[in-house]
Amino acid sequence: MILAFFGFKIYRYFQGGVEKTLRKEEFAYHDVLLAMSKKMTLIKSLDRLLKIIVLRVVKYVRISHGAVYLKEDGGYRLRYGYGKETELIPKNISGNDPLVEVLIRREGPVLREEEKETLASNMRFAAAQASVVVPSFIGKQLIGFLALGEKISR
């Protein structure tokens, strides 16, 4: 009985240490992104702010590329793109595009793997070279989104 009690405690101790080690990189992202967001409140130029967001996310999260789209004239226009193959990223995305519809329906980040059942939106993910798309809302209004490429392995 005592062995079982201490065995469980030892198991939990080692499990916590292993989990902490495995999630160390994830926690580092949080710290960097939090510090970055605090500094961004001082930036007055929208174009400069968008550029810094994309550059820092690509660098610190180590992804192949990133692009930010903002709502303009009933659709979404690429405001800044950076990284590998950004010339292939669409410059404009229609307001009634299946990708936009999925973002509005989900009201949160969308992974390409999660949308395999929706062929049209999956094709848009491929066209946008995105693995993850993170929307930005004001109320229920989609004002823009960040399209992020594949994670670069070390």
Side-chain angles (χ1 to χ4, degrees):
M1 179 93 125
I2 293 174
L3 182 61
F5 175 76
F6 285 112
F8 179 72
K9 291 285 188 187
I10 292 170
Y11 168 76
R12 293 290 289 168
Y13 172 78
F14 284 115
Q15 181 186 23
V18 169
E19 188 172 307
K20 187 175 181 180
T21 302
L22 293 173
R23 298 192 69 196
K24 185 177 182 179
E25 187 176 319
E26 182 180 334
F27 292 132
Y29 294 157
H30 289 282
D31 293 340
V32 168
L33 295 174
L34 182 62
M36 186 175 79
S37 69
K38 288 178 182 177
K39 292 178 185 175
M40 285 183 192
T41 59
L42 304 173
I43 299 171
K44 305 295 184 223
S45 166
L46 179 61
D47 289 333
R48 184 166 177 249
L49 178 63
L50 296 174
K51 180 178 180 179
I52 288 171
I53 289 170
V54 172
L55 290 174
R56 299 274 168 88
V57 169
V58 167
K59 177 182 177 182
Y60 292 122
V61 182
R62 289 196 282 285
I63 55 176
S64 61
H65 64 280
V68 65
Y69 290 84
L70 293 182
K71 186 171 185 127
E72 286 185 17
D73 303 324
Y76 297 86
R77 184 170 72 87
L78 176 65
R79 290 294 298 264
Y80 187 77
Y82 175 78
K84 186 178 89 172
E85 299 180 18
T86 51
E87 65 278 354
L88 301 176
I89 297 173
K91 306 298 181 236
N92 294 294
I93 295 179
S94 167
N96 59 3
D97 188 277
L99 174 58
V100 172
E101 291 172 3
V102 169
L103 291 170
I104 292 170
R105 184 179 74 238
R106 289 272 184 100
E107 295 183 350
V110 177
L111 299 169
R112 180 174 35 206
E113 293 84 31
E114 293 176 348
E115 284 304 313
K116 287 187 177 178
E117 76 278 357
T118 310
L119 181 60
S121 67
N122 201 17
M123 289 172 55
R124 178 52 74 182
F125 267 106
Q129 305 288 312
S131 293
V132 179
V133 180
V134 182
S136 181
F137 290 90
I138 293 180
K140 294 283 185 183
Q141 178 86 21
L142 178 65
I143 60 167
F145 52 91
L146 184 63
L148 303 172
E150 297 290 331
K151 180 92 169 99
I152 298 172
S153 59
R154 292 181 179 196

